[in-house]
Amino acid sequence: MSQKQMKEAFVSNHNGTSVLEVTQGLCLPALCIVCRGLLIILSQERMCSHTWRTRFCIDFVFLIVPMVATLTILSSFVLLEHLAVIFCGAGLFYQIYCRRTCARMPVQKMLEKFLKISLESEYIPAISCFRVINSAFTAIAILAVDFPLFPRRFAKTELYGTGAMDFGVGGFIFGTAMVGPEVRKKYTGESRFYYLTKSLYSIWPLVFLGIGRLVIIKAIGYQEHLTEYGVHWNFFFTLIVVKLITSLLLVIFPLNKSWIVAISIIVLYQLALDFTPLKRLILYGTDGSGTRAGLLNANREGIISTLGYVAIHMAGVQTGSYMLKKRSQVKDWIKGACRILLAAISLFISLYIVQVNVDGVSRRMANLAFCIWIVASSLILLSSLLLGDIILSFAKFLIKEAVVPCSWKLIHSTVTNKKHLESLVSEAERKEPGLCLITAMNRNQLIFFLLSNITTGLINLLIDTLHSSTLWALFVLNLYMFTNCLIIYVLHLQDKTIKFW
């Protein structure tokens, strides 16, 4: 076998792991973000004198290193990682409570006062963290999968199953939908034709990237996982089709009915898989022998699975709309987080029922079970991040003038006038440092993804990943992430947002 064939075989024919293990791995970064925030609060005075290099290293150690470890050497000890991080967080929180600078009062009264505090932020930190976590996990996994150190159960599944890498595309589409122009009401007051025109214009970079990736991959003979998208199709083409279809749907249907559209699409798609030759077409082609002759046969997985991703996008739009509802006090956000958590639990129960009675999770088909799993996993991560933000807000309540990048600002008032609220934000909050890896990655997410793909390709061309030792693989992975994150961080320091439209 050639080197290319060996690498293709190495990432093929896998059956995934349990839903629980993937969920545990996804939620670990939420705990790490809380620990990072608590450490920043506890060392507030020292943090003011830290350079951007020190802050970058702190963020990298708390956010990226644990993800690398979870996907490699500590993959069998995720629960122990959770316990260690929780223990660390509890210790930091206890220290903050002992050093609190707020007015001394009984715990019950303190909690009552905290629940009535208003939260002010230009955006919801949990959404930014969700998008960054998914981007970081994807960036690590696309390179790590080529090393023996990466557990094969985390690789993309061949037909059925839930691998950690299977969450990547679905999570990206869900996260993008939550902050889409429709959710942010960017084109409110404009005509539907204008909105469709802007949507069409926004996809041209994706067309360029999709075609560019196709040409480069074919030109250099880079290894491909054929059953992922097909011969010519790739992730960018899926994004294009999803964007086009969902833009049209959101012109026709009201925003608050997105969940009905999502359910309708995925149920009808699943019925088509079960009662028409569609499933056979995806798996075996038009002639039943796995042919790749013709455009449809060559790219059948990528083309047909877009229906499932459209449903995921519409579910993300509904979630984003719910998240952006006006909530004035902490107690309102706690209720919102609990409702999202309840929805996630309900979907996991539904997933079990669907897997037993209908069909298993299949990324290749993006079927009903796959879509439920993606949305449920996204909601459990989102609720974890929301609850983590509330814990950080309480810690900031205990230590007056405390500032944590990419977190809610506290307003000690029940005033509802927005301008007055903004005037009540403390001077320390107004001077909130922009030195934050989360903010940097969220700001240039597409550039980070492209950079990760390019450096992954270069490393695979320069290094024999299949025969790399554990120590060497860890060094390469951490250096790769350090380099990519540093470039994005420097762009943020230079106040650069790279957009193509």
Side-chain angles (χ1 to χ4, degrees):
M1 293 176 70
S2 66
Q3 186 78 357
K4 177 186 174 183
Q5 290 174 325
M6 288 174 64
K7 287 191 173 185
E8 286 175 347
F10 193 59
V11 298
S12 303
N13 301 312
H14 300 298
N15 299 315
T17 183
S18 67
V19 170
L20 178 60
E21 187 173 26
V22 176
T23 305
Q24 287 176 339
L26 278 175
C27 291
L28 180 65
L31 294 173
C32 294
I33 288 172
V34 173
C35 281
R36 161 191 171 266
L38 294 175
L39 179 65
I40 291 173
I41 293 171
L42 194 60
S43 57
Q44 196 71 59
E45 294 180 2
R46 295 178 183 176
M47 287 297 292
C48 294
S49 61
H50 285 170
T51 63
W52 68 266
R53 295 176 185 84
T54 305
R55 295 194 180 194
F56 170 76
C57 289
I58 290 172
D59 281 354
F60 186 82
V61 168
F62 273 91
L63 302 177
I64 305 300
V65 173
M67 293 190 203
V68 174
T70 299
L71 290 173
T72 54
I73 54 173
L74 297 181
S75 59
S76 300
F77 307 99
V78 179
L79 184 58
L80 289 177
E81 281 187 275
H82 276 261
L83 293 175
V85 175
I86 290 170
F87 181 78
C88 178
L92 290 170
F93 188 85
Y94 176 75
Q95 289 296 319
I96 290 171
Y97 183 78
C98 292
R99 301 180 190 183
R100 63 190 183 278
T101 58
C102 65
R104 301 276 171 159
M105 62 183 77
V107 175
Q108 186 175 353
K109 287 187 177 180
M110 188 186 297
L111 289 172
E112 288 175 0
K113 187 177 180 181
F114 170 68
L115 292 175
K116 293 178 182 178
I117 284 179
S118 297
L119 299 173
E120 175 69 13
S121 179
E122 294 178 359
Y123 57 86
I124 300 167
I127 295 180
S128 298
C129 291
F130 176 94
R131 285 158 52 81
V132 168
I133 288 170
N134 188 62
S135 294
F137 258 130
T138 302
I140 296 165
I142 59 175
L143 177 60
V145 70
D146 296 316
F147 289 94
L149 179 65
F150 186 82
R152 294 300 97 190
R153 67 184 186 278
F154 286 171
K156 289 182 179 179
T157 53
E158 192 66 24
L159 180 54
Y160 289 105
T162 52
M165 291 187 71
D166 291 325
F167 178 79
V169 177
F172 184 91
I173 288 175
F174 188 91
T176 302
M178 284 197 292
V179 296
E182 307 87 2
V183 176
R184 292 181 285 118
K185 296 180 171 55
K186 188 175 179 179
Y187 305 126
T188 303
E190 303 289 350
S191 67
R192 294 184 178 185
F193 177 76
Y194 176 81
Y195 165 69
L196 278 176
T197 303
K198 293 295 290 185
S199 297
L200 286 171
Y201 177 69
S202 69
I203 67 170
W204 77 261
L206 297 175
V207 175
F208 174 76
L209 293 170
I211 294 173
R213 186 185 189 280
L214 172 63
V215 171
I216 292 171
I217 292 295
K218 299 301 180 183
I220 65 175
Y222 194 76
Q223 67 265 17
E224 297 176 88
H225 190 181
L226 192 62
T227 58
E228 184 178 356
Y229 293 111
V231 178
H232 312 105
W233 203 266
N234 59 51
F235 169 67
F236 297 109
F237 293 144
T238 294
L239 288 183
I240 292 166
V241 176
V242 168
K243 178 65 176 176
L244 289 174
I245 296 175
T246 54
S247 296
L248 183 61
L249 289 173
L250 289 168
V251 166
I252 300 171
F253 299 99
L255 198 67
N256 61 353
K257 304 299 181 187
S258 298
W259 67 277
I260 297 176
V261 178
I263 292 173
S264 301
I265 290 171
I266 196 57
V267 168
L268 289 173
Y269 176 48
Q270 185 62 49
L271 288 173
L273 288 172
D274 290 339
F275 298 105
T276 70
L278 189 61
K279 182 188 288 188
R280 182 180 173 83
L281 171 63
I282 295 173
L283 301 182
Y284 307 111
T286 52
D287 65 353
S289 63
T291 180
R292 292 288 174 180
L295 188 63
L296 176 61
N297 280 314
N299 305 288
R300 55 183 185 265
E301 295 90 350
I303 294 172
I304 299 174
S305 66
T306 51
L307 289 171
Y309 290 116
V310 166
I312 291 170
H313 187 281
M314 296 303 289
V317 168
Q318 184 69 55
T319 305
S321 300
Y322 178 76
M323 290 284 288
L324 290 178
K325 280 185 179 178
K326 187 177 180 181
R327 294 175 176 85
S328 58
Q329 297 179 332
V330 172
K331 61 183 179 182
D332 299 322
W333 277 106
I334 293 175
K335 289 179 183 177
C338 290
R339 286 172 181 168
I340 291 175
L341 180 60
L342 184 62
I345 294 170
S346 301
L347 284 172
F348 277 120
I349 294 171
S350 301
L351 174 62
Y352 175 77
I353 295 170
V354 168
Q355 285 188 296
V356 170
N357 298 288
V358 182
D359 203 3
V361 174
S362 175
R363 173 201 49 78
R364 190 170 171 182
M365 292 184 282
N367 60 359
L368 174 61
F370 175 80
C371 293
I372 293 175
W373 173 58
I374 292 294
V375 176
S377 299
S378 298
L379 292 181
I380 203 83
L381 174 56
L382 194 60
S383 60
S384 300
L385 290 166
L386 279 171
L387 293 171
D389 282 335
I390 291 166
I391 292 171
L392 284 180
S393 297
F394 184 58
K396 290 167 70 176
F397 169 76
L398 294 174
I399 304 291
K400 288 186 177 180
E401 305 298 321
V403 177
V404 178
C406 196
S407 68
W408 273 314
K409 298 169 184 153
L410 304 186
I411 302 168
H412 301 264
S413 171
T414 55
V415 179
T416 54
N417 182 272
K418 187 175 179 181
K419 290 185 178 179
H420 192 186
L421 279 174
E422 290 175 352
S423 69
L424 292 172
V425 178
S426 68
E427 186 177 349
E429 293 281 8
R430 288 185 178 279
K431 294 179 180 178
E432 180 176 342
L435 306 179
C436 175
L437 183 57
I438 295 173
T439 305
M441 290 176 65
N442 186 58
R443 182 175 185 173
N444 283 299
Q445 190 179 23
L446 181 58
I447 296 301
F448 178 77
F449 180 75
L450 290 175
L451 188 62
S452 300
N453 274 269
I454 292 168
T455 48
T456 294
L458 290 174
I459 290 169
N460 267 285
L461 292 173
L462 296 172
I463 296 174
D464 181 10
T465 56
L466 294 180
H467 302 96
S468 296
S469 66
T470 297
L471 192 61
W472 174 242
L474 277 176
F475 173 76
V476 171
L477 283 170
N478 281 289
L479 180 61
Y480 151 83
M481 286 302 295
F482 186 87
T483 304
N484 291 342
C485 290
L486 183 60
I487 292 171
I488 295 299
Y489 198 79
V490 170
L491 283 175
H492 178 60
L493 291 178
Q494 299 296 321
D495 199 25
K496 302 290 185 184
T497 301
I498 300 178
K499 277 193 169 186
F500 303 100
W501 60 91

